[in-house]
């Protein structure tokens, strides 16, 4: 068991413990002139990066950059110049999750809100830079850098040899998945010989499942950054993704199977495509959703590893469904 590092201990702290409450906020019903007068009468003690906009119930509704506030006419209302799409950090997030916001969104500050969008405070880039400074003083900090995702930026400036060492291990998942897929094809060789048309559609069957798997991985990574992951939330997300996968798979299967029916006229192949694509795509959504969460749970970097692992597992599952249906139909 390794010793807990000071930086690691702080990364798991609730971000709400580090928010600043000396921020400048505006109200959406104010004019720019009224907002500036209010700020002059009661200036915030801390530095001003963005002006956050609240409604009458003190809920976060927008953000106004300083330049936009100063360069618009004084009679304009704040609600007319604010950006309504605000990237906020939930108050249950950890410092680690807050650091990920700075890595991925490249903003200088973020508001921290509760579930009702009430503004609890802000965290600015100083939190992020102080965490990196603490990590640099720790000997075993590579794992923590990976948790934040900083090694992704490092690889953009690394030598080819270093980039190879970082990226190749995860490609082993693709290699293993390809070899297992080849073995599966060998196991079902009799069905492929009996209906050669099955082999014609293997690329499109796999491509559809892989595409949906990567979509699910991307959505899961976004959820990991923006929401607290609980067991109930994971199951709810899996259920929703599986339902979406069934609809996507059915729609794709009908399109491909219709072409196969007109082109080849082989009912068995059409049924294999309907079942294989629908099952493969539905399974791909589950795989793409669960892999990033499992990697995060075991403290591996999901942004790097989730894609190769999800693709390999998706290929194996899709081929297994496709070939099993073929064996069942062809006897």
């Amino acid at each position: 068991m390794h010793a807990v590092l000071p930086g690691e201990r702080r990364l798991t702290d609730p971000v709400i413990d580090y928010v600043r409450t000396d921020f400048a906020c505006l109200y959406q019903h104010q004019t720019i002139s009224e907002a500036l007068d209010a700020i002059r009468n009661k200036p915030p003690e801390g530095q001003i990066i963005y002006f956050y906009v609240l409604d009458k119930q003190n809920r976060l509704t927008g953000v106004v950059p300083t330049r936009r506030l100063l360069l618009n006419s004084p009679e304009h209302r704040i609600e007319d110049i604010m950006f309504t799409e605000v990237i906020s950090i939930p108050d249950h997030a950890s410092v680690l999750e807050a650091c990920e916001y700075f890595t991925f969104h490249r903003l200088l500050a973020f508001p921290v809100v509760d579930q009702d969008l009430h503004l609890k405070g802000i965290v600015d880039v100083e939190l992020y830079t102080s965490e990196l400074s603490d990590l640099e003083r720790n000997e075993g900090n590579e794992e923590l850098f990976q948790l934040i995702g900083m090694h992704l930026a490092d690889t953009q400036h690394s030598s080819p040899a270093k980039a190879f060492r970082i990226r190749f291990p995860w490609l082993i998942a693709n290699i293993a998945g390809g070899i297992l897929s080849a073995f599966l094809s060998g196991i079902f060789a009799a069905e492929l010989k009996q209906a050669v048309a099955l082999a014609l559609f293997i690329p499109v069957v796999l491509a559809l499942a892989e595409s949906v798997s990567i979509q699910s991985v991307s959505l899961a990574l976004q959820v990991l950054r923006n929401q607290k992951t609980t067991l109930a939330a994971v199951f709810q997300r899996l259920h929703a993704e599986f339902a979406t996968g069934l609809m996507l798979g059915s729609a794709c299967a009908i399109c491909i199977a219709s072409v196969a029916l007109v082109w080849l006229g082989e009912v068995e192949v059409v049924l294999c495509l309907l079942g294989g694509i629908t099952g493969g795509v539905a399974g791909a959504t589950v795989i793409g959703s669960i892999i990033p969460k499992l990697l995060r749970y075991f403290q591996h970097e999901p942004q790097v590893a989730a894609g190769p692992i999800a693709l390999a597992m998706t290929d194996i599952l899709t081929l297994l469904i496709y070939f099993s249906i073929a064996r069942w139909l062809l006897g």
Side-chain angles (χ1 to χ4, degrees):
M1 180 180 296
H2 71 284
V4 178
L5 303 172
E8 187 175 9
R9 189 164 50 244
R10 185 176 177 185
L11 284 170
T12 60
D13 289 348
V15 72
I16 195 68
D17 294 343
Y18 299 93
V19 299
R20 283 177 39 207
T21 56
D22 56 343
F23 53 87
C25 62
L26 313 174
Y27 289 91
Q28 61 183 28
H29 63 272
Q30 291 177 315
T31 64
I32 292 178
S33 177
E34 292 170 341
L36 290 175
D37 287 342
I39 293 171
R40 293 189 190 100
N41 292 334
K42 191 178 180 181
E45 297 180 3
Q47 62 176 329
I48 298 175
I49 300 178
Y50 306 112
F51 291 93
Y52 295 105
V53 183
L54 309 178
D55 62 12
K56 293 182 179 180
Q57 287 74 41
N58 289 321
R59 293 174 301 193
L60 181 66
T61 58
V63 61
V64 178
T66 303
R67 177 182 177 86
R68 195 165 188 148
L69 182 70
L70 297 177
L71 297 184
N72 274 278
S73 299
E75 65 273 10
H76 284 169
R77 292 193 177 276
I78 296 298
E79 61 187 352
D80 295 329
I81 67 167
M82 70 182 185
F83 294 108
T84 56
E85 295 184 2
V86 187
I87 300 174
S88 59
I89 299 176
D91 60 357
H92 54 67
S94 66
V95 172
L96 168 62
E97 291 169 323
C99 287
E100 288 181 335
Y101 276 73
F102 290 100
T103 300
F104 291 105
H105 297 291
R106 308 291 182 178
L107 296 176
L108 299 177
F110 292 96
V112 177
V113 299
D114 62 17
Q115 61 182 0
D116 297 319
L117 295 182
H118 293 128
L119 185 58
K120 311 300 289 185
I122 67 167
V123 289
D124 58 30
V125 74
E126 291 181 2
L127 174 71
Y128 182 56
T129 54
S130 67
E131 285 306 313
L132 295 186
S133 177
D134 290 342
L135 291 176
E136 287 173 355
R137 290 193 290 268
N138 295 323
E139 293 181 359
N141 61 18
E142 178 59 23
E143 180 180 358
L144 302 182
F145 269 98
Q146 289 180 353
L147 286 174
I148 297 177
M150 284 302 296
H151 74 291
L152 294 177
D154 293 341
T155 59
Q156 296 176 0
H157 307 287
S158 64
S159 67
K162 183 178 179 181
F164 171 81
R165 290 195 300 270
I166 293 172
R167 295 164 64 177
F168 179 74
W170 297 115
L171 294 179
I172 294 175
N174 294 103
I175 295 172
I179 293 172
L180 287 174
S181 296
F183 283 144
L184 278 176
S185 299
I187 293 172
F188 292 93
E191 285 73 20
L192 290 174
K193 290 179 181 178
Q194 189 173 348
V196 178
L198 288 173
L200 297 176
F201 290 95
I202 289 176
V204 70
V205 171
L206 292 179
L208 288 170
E210 289 172 353
S211 297
V212 172
S213 179
I214 288 300
Q215 289 175 356
S216 296
V217 167
S218 300
L219 290 172
L221 292 174
Q222 185 67 31
V223 169
L224 284 176
R225 292 197 296 269
N226 296 337
Q227 296 181 8
K228 184 178 181 180
T229 301
T230 63
L231 191 59
V234 169
F235 280 113
Q236 183 178 6
R237 185 66 190 175
L238 287 178
H239 182 269
E241 276 294 290
F242 183 71
T244 302
L246 283 176
M247 290 186 286
L248 289 171
S250 298
C252 294
I254 291 171
C255 293
I256 301 300
S258 298
V259 173
L261 182 62
V262 174
W263 178 24
L264 303 173
E266 298 183 21
V267 177
E268 293 83 359
V269 173
V270 170
L271 293 176
C272 288
L273 288 170
L274 287 172
I277 293 176
T278 302
V281 169
T285 58
V286 175
I287 291 172
S289 297
I290 199 67
I291 291 299
K293 296 177 177 65
L294 289 175
L295 289 170
R296 170 59 62 79
Y297 178 79
F298 290 108
Q299 296 190 341
H300 289 293
E301 177 49 50
Q303 282 82 358
V304 175
I309 295 175
L311 287 177
M313 294 181 64
T314 295
D315 285 349
I316 294 169
L317 176 64
T318 303
L319 285 179
L320 189 59
I321 294 173
Y322 186 51
F323 289 150
S324 295
I325 294 173
R327 175 168 286 182
W328 175 62
L329 290 174
L330 299 174

